[in-house]
Amino acid sequence: MDIFEKVVAKMGPLGQYYEHGHGYYFFPKLSGDISNRMIYQGKERLIWSLNNYLGLANHPEVRKADAEAAAKFGLAYQMGARMMSGQTDYHEQFEKEIAEFMGKEAAYLLNFGYQGMVSVIQSMVDRKDVIVYDSEAHACILDGMQLHFGKRFVYPHNNMESLEKQLQRATKITNETGGGIMVITEGVYGMAGDLGKLTDIVELKKKYPFRLLVDDAHGFGTMGKTGQGTGEHLGVQDEIDIYFGTFAKAFAGIGGFVASKKEVIKFLMYNLRSQVFAKSLPVAMTIGALKRLEILRTEPQHKEKLWTIVHALQNGLKEQGFNIGNTESPVTPVYFEGGVGEATQITYDLRENYNIFCSIVIYPVVPKGVLMLRIIPTAVHTLEDVDYTIKAFAEVKQKLNAGKYSDGIIKSMMV
């Protein structure tokens, strides 16, 4: 079959719904200031779908730093990859400050988080090495492993007994190849909100020779006393060999960083293909990241407000009998039973009749027959927002149980 014919015929598990939902369920357009309320299709909605955990997107000092840096340098400066012509004092300053904040020897600034994680995996292992990873690893981890020519073993999500068995298999192989073992997990799992079992994984280091890589995209800035992340929260920060954080969540920006020992960061600087062969993070965004880091260090009230909202929301949902799974982070999933038809009708009802905008997750992200409304609380939400949302969800749950969404029809909102 011709490649173009193939992609037209097989749009994929989500693309198959293009005719029903492009522009409404998929690729919706929000406008207005990034906050708890924004404009969607001409109406103000209560928004629970933005990765703006600490509310920094419209923090006045952040906006000022972003604007002044953009006015001074533009968004083009500097032109080139770090290795060739894209190195600046600002990049080095951020790396020094983030390494100190994270309690690591050194750090390296990344132009994009997703590509950065792909490249970290690709560069750190070769065909002699073995990767052992959690079954619910993020897409960037899975894509990074596609570039690995050696063995890789998966263990069921947070199943430590299986992890140990995979480590035993990996150790036998590396004893023959002379390679090493890399265990990859997440700090906070971004869909379900539960935590990687970092304490148990670290304990296995006493028995097996492996290095631990943690993708803490949702944990950086939100977890731990200072916002260092899930390692700090669980008291094992020093045992994380390679720590990855992104600016796309708590920092409300673009880019990311990797932190580790000096010799490891030196190696990554010269071997990360996503950085060696791509333009570095623009100076304006680097200066913006410095301001965000300063605020994370000096204004703990934003994280405190976030967790006030998180606790109110999650406790309120549980008191009303909702299933929110095993979340231990701000990520708040709400599980229902149903199919794609129910998912579209619930989404439509929430948006049009309750003016609530939140993401709904369907198969293949969750098992068939399961629907998940994924709520992202932020420091700019209010307790009134929480109360209103819980009441709305209670009414939606009653309608779902009464069969009012169960006609099986996918509500078409093609615009």
Side-chain angles (χ1 to χ4, degrees):
M1 179 183 290
D2 176 73
I3 290 177
F4 280 18
E5 292 176 354
K6 177 184 67 176
V7 299
V8 170
K10 300 178 181 179
M11 285 284 288
L14 297 178
Q16 65 179 309
Y17 302 114
Y18 173 88
E19 296 297 336
H20 293 284
H22 187 78
Y24 192 87
Y25 303 114
F26 307 104
F27 297 90
K29 301 174 185 176
L30 298 173
S31 60
D33 286 343
I34 298 172
S35 190
N36 60 328
R37 295 181 183 275
M38 297 179 68
I39 304 300
Y40 176 66
Q41 300 220 335
K43 292 177 62 178
E44 185 181 82
R45 321 281 179 158
L46 174 55
I47 308 295
W48 291 104
S49 295
L50 298 180
N51 292 322
N52 183 32
Y53 285 121
L54 302 181
L56 300 186
N58 273 305
H59 188 293
E61 289 186 32
V62 168
R63 290 289 297 266
K64 183 173 183 287
D66 288 348
E68 290 180 350
K72 181 176 181 179
F73 294 102
L75 292 180
Y77 187 81
Q78 64 304 333
M79 289 301 298
R82 292 278 298 278
M83 182 177 285
M84 301 302 293
S85 58
Q87 180 84 321
T88 71
D89 289 338
Y90 296 106
H91 290 76
E92 292 181 334
Q93 179 185 349
F94 180 84
E95 289 164 351
K96 179 177 181 296
E97 292 189 18
I98 195 67
E100 291 176 354
F101 177 74
M102 297 303 300
K104 298 296 182 184
E105 290 182 3
Y108 192 55
L109 183 60
L110 307 171
N111 50 16
F112 281 100
Y114 193 108
Q115 292 91 328
M117 174 57 76
V118 169
S119 203
V120 167
I121 295 170
Q122 183 268 334
S123 65
M124 288 298 300
V125 292
D126 60 34
R127 64 177 65 252
K128 294 180 180 180
D129 302 321
V130 178
I131 295 175
V132 182
Y133 67 100
D134 191 285
S135 62
E136 293 191 10
H138 189 269
C140 65
I141 296 172
L142 300 180
D143 285 355
M145 289 190 300
Q146 291 294 322
L147 301 174
H148 174 47
F149 294 106
K151 296 285 186 180
R152 57 180 184 268
F153 301 132
V154 62
Y155 60 94
H157 180 52
N158 273 342
N159 185 322
M160 295 297 101
E161 182 179 350
S162 178
L163 169 58
E164 183 162 12
K165 289 180 180 178
Q166 304 313 320
L167 285 170
Q168 291 169 357
R169 294 176 67 192
T171 301
K172 289 180 181 179
I173 292 173
T174 54
N175 284 343
E176 296 177 359
T177 65
I181 303 170
M182 178 76 79
V183 172
I184 306 177
T185 183
E186 295 184 42
V188 173
Y189 283 85
M191 280 295 158
D194 58 332
L195 308 183
K197 291 189 175 181
L198 302 186
T199 305
D200 294 336
I201 295 173
V202 164
E203 190 67 19
L204 287 171
K205 279 187 167 188
K206 297 176 181 178
K207 298 173 64 176
Y208 304 96
F210 65 87
R211 293 295 183 176
L212 177 59
L213 166 59
V214 175
D215 176 349
D216 207 21
H218 288 270
F220 172 64
T222 68
M223 303 293 293
K225 182 179 180 181
T226 69
Q228 267 188 5
T230 311
E232 180 185 39
H233 174 71
L234 296 174
V236 294
Q237 181 73 358
D238 292 343
E239 297 297 326
I240 297 174
D241 296 298
I242 304 176
Y243 182 97
F244 167 84
T246 180
F247 303 154
K249 307 297 191 285
F251 269 21
I254 293 176
F257 68 92
V258 57
S260 186
K261 292 184 174 296
K262 289 181 179 179
E263 56 268 27
V264 173
I265 295 303
K266 184 187 298 183
F267 171 84
L268 291 174
M269 288 175 64
Y270 281 81
N271 292 278
L272 280 175
R273 293 172 68 84
S274 64
Q275 310 304 307
V276 173
F277 297 99
K279 182 179 176 180
S280 66
L281 191 70
V283 164
M285 296 179 182
T286 305
I287 292 173
L290 279 163
K291 175 55 69 174
R292 289 160 171 81
L293 178 58
E294 176 190 326
I295 291 172
L296 177 60
R297 288 193 308 243
T298 62
E299 298 182 10
Q301 65 267 28
H302 304 297
K303 189 166 73 69
E304 292 168 2
K305 173 66 185 305
L306 165 66
W307 278 98
T308 295
I309 298 300
V310 170
H311 291 317
L313 177 66
Q314 294 182 356
N315 291 338
L317 287 167
K318 287 189 287 188
E319 288 169 3
Q320 292 297 317
F322 286 97
N323 176 12
I324 65 170
N326 300 314
T327 183
E328 298 178 66
S329 69
V331 179
T332 305
V334 185
Y335 295 96
F336 298 93
E337 294 181 0
V340 177
E342 288 92 344
T344 63
Q345 293 180 67
I346 289 172
T347 302
Y348 179 83
D349 196 12
L350 283 171
R351 291 182 184 179
E352 303 304 323
N353 298 318
Y354 295 95
N355 292 320
I356 293 176
F357 186 107
C358 66
S359 300
I360 194 161
V361 182
I362 58 175
Y363 176 84
V365 181
V366 292
K368 288 184 177 180
V370 174
L371 305 177
M372 183 178 79
L373 288 167
R374 179 173 176 263
I375 303 175
I376 302 295
T378 73
V380 295
H381 282 102
T382 67
L383 293 176
E384 289 75 19
D385 293 337
V386 170
D387 291 340
Y388 176 76
T389 300
I390 293 172
K391 290 176 183 176
F393 274 38
E395 293 182 14
V396 166
K397 183 179 180 182
Q398 288 179 345
K399 293 179 186 179
L400 179 64
N401 292 341
K404 293 187 178 181
Y405 301 125
S406 60
D407 57 16
I409 298 172
I410 299 175
K411 191 170 185 65
S412 180
M413 290 300 300
M414 187 66 177
V415 295

